[in-house]
Amino acid sequence: MVNFSLEGKVALITGASYGIGFAIASALGNAGAKIVFNDIKAELVEKGIENYKEIGIDAKGYVCDVTNEEQVTAMIQQIESEVGVVDILVNNAGIIKRVPMHEMSAAEFRQVIDIDLNAPFIMAKAVIPSMMKKGAGKIINICSMMSELGRETVSAYAAAKGGLKMLTKNIASEYGEHNIQCNGIGPGYIATPQTAPLREPQADGSRHPFDSFIIAKTPAARWGTPEDLAGPAVFLASNASDFVNGHVLYVDGGILAYIGKQPK
Ligand code: NAP
Ligand code: GCO
């Protein structure tokens, strides 16, 4: 019998007050996991707890900047004493800056790398020792189309998400013998606040050019929703994927497989 249940597991999803993190945490909660999440702003943690309560999930929220190793270590210790050892870590928190590379400051580049790549390292490093003691663990890194492809203005983000794909493979390689599986989810273009600027209707009411571009590039001919990521996340968080390790599962409606629809 394939086991997709997460009963008795503690799942920590970073940056999960809303967006993709909220959808993944909700799915893991509905599969039986105890949900723990963090956000960098206290008011968003409070809002997130309310949002989870509205869908029947009694989540615990913590204020923590995932780039700050001291805050992360303290948060993991608090979670272990208040809730239990983290069985499932989803490194979801992330930002993007859309700036032509020759105009991007080094500080802006570093900030994106810090949140999108250094933080998943800090978070994984904080939970792996207890997973090793327990003899099991699941780490899921939220990668991107930009783990495979580049595009104008997203150099820092692509570098971070490309690095996150390789960090995923390296954690899988280094900790597989401890029955810790580390995989990635590579969402396609998903309708969340992060991509709202790319879907902004034009002054004349027509679609944003990038919106039309993504529709033409996606065999499913639609943007993804955060809920499209729910099933893949439950699969990678469950014992059903115990022999899947170092893999990035692209949930992109087929973008990576498709040359794109010929313009009329
Ligand atoms: P989003 O709507 O911008 O949400 C990002 C979340 O991360 C927010 O809750 C944000 O909290 C949190 N966060 C940012 N910096 C943080 C920090 N230093 N410490 C803790 N939390 C922090 O983004 P999303 O679209 O849901 O994306 C979530 C993840 O999926 C990101 O890693 C993104 O790169 C990835 N992704 C998104 C898409 C897409 O099309 N949307 C596709 C592929 C991959 P605040 O609001 O307090 O800043
Ligand atoms: C962009 C988008 C993408 C998505 C996602 C695609 O500006 O190209 O924000 O980067 O966020 O990462 O998988």
Side-chain angles (χ1 to χ4, degrees):
M1 173 75 167
V2 180
N3 184 8
F4 290 102
S5 169
L6 304 181
E7 287 298 337
K9 306 280 190 194
V10 175
L12 168 58
I13 304 88
T14 65
S17 299
Y18 57 88
I20 286 173
F22 182 82
I24 287 178
S26 305
L28 302 186
N30 290 332
K34 170 67 184 163
I35 298 307
V36 179
F37 73 101
N38 80 295
D39 210 301
I40 197 167
K41 301 184 188 92
E43 61 273 21
L44 277 175
V45 170
E46 290 316 312
K47 180 94 184 63
I49 290 169
E50 285 312 307
N51 294 343
Y52 285 110
K53 215 174 275 174
E54 276 169 25
I55 56 170
I57 291 178
D58 174 22
K60 264 187 95 60
Y62 295 84
V63 179
C64 176
D65 175 352
V66 291
T67 65
N68 181 315
E69 188 161 26
E70 257 177 65
Q71 287 186 27
V72 169
T73 306
M75 175 177 70
I76 297 301
Q77 283 166 353
Q78 205 177 351
I79 292 168
E80 290 190 355
S81 63
E82 292 174 0
V83 185
V85 165
V86 174
D87 299 292
I88 302 156
L89 168 65
V90 180
N91 278 312
N92 167 76
I95 65 166
I96 192 166
K97 287 187 184 302
R98 300 182 182 98
V99 178
M101 196 184 85
H102 67 287
E103 294 170 10
M104 182 179 266
S105 69
E108 286 175 314
F109 191 95
R110 277 195 205 96
Q111 187 191 8
V112 175
I113 297 288
D114 209 17
I115 295 169
D116 294 6
L117 180 57
N118 294 344
F121 153 73
I122 290 170
M123 289 300 307
K125 179 186 163 192
V127 300
I128 280 172
S130 294
M131 288 181 172
M132 288 170 74
K133 280 197 202 95
K134 198 164 187 178
K138 296 282 185 179
I139 297 173
I140 300 169
N141 293 322
I142 306 302
C143 297
S144 162
M145 294 289 93
M146 274 62 217
S147 296
E148 301 293 344
L149 304 170
R151 86 172 183 87
E152 300 79 3
T153 77
V154 296
S155 57
Y157 185 82
K161 293 297 188 180
L164 186 56
K165 175 176 76 171
M166 283 315 302
L167 178 63
T168 299
K169 291 175 185 282
N170 215 77
I171 292 171
S173 306
E174 192 163 3
Y175 296 98
E177 67 179 329
H178 299 283
N179 190 29
I180 294 170
Q181 291 84 45
C182 181
N183 292 287
I185 289 177
Y189 279 83
I190 312 293
T192 71
Q194 191 243 52
T195 54
L198 305 175
R199 290 175 281 110
E200 196 70 38
Q202 303 298 279
D204 64 4
S206 62
R207 275 182 186 272
H208 188 295
F210 196 87
D211 183 356
S212 307
F213 169 66
I214 289 303
I215 299 294
K217 276 289 286 177
T218 310
R222 67 173 175 88
W223 283 72
T225 66
E227 291 68 32
D228 284 321
L229 303 167
V234 171
F235 166 64
L236 289 177
S238 73
N239 293 125
S241 62
D242 281 356
F243 205 54
V244 178
N245 210 4
H247 182 78
V248 178
L249 176 54
Y250 287 99
V251 185
D252 65 356
I255 290 183
L256 287 179
Y258 185 38
I259 194 169
K261 190 171 290 303
Q262 180 183 346
K264 287 194 180 69

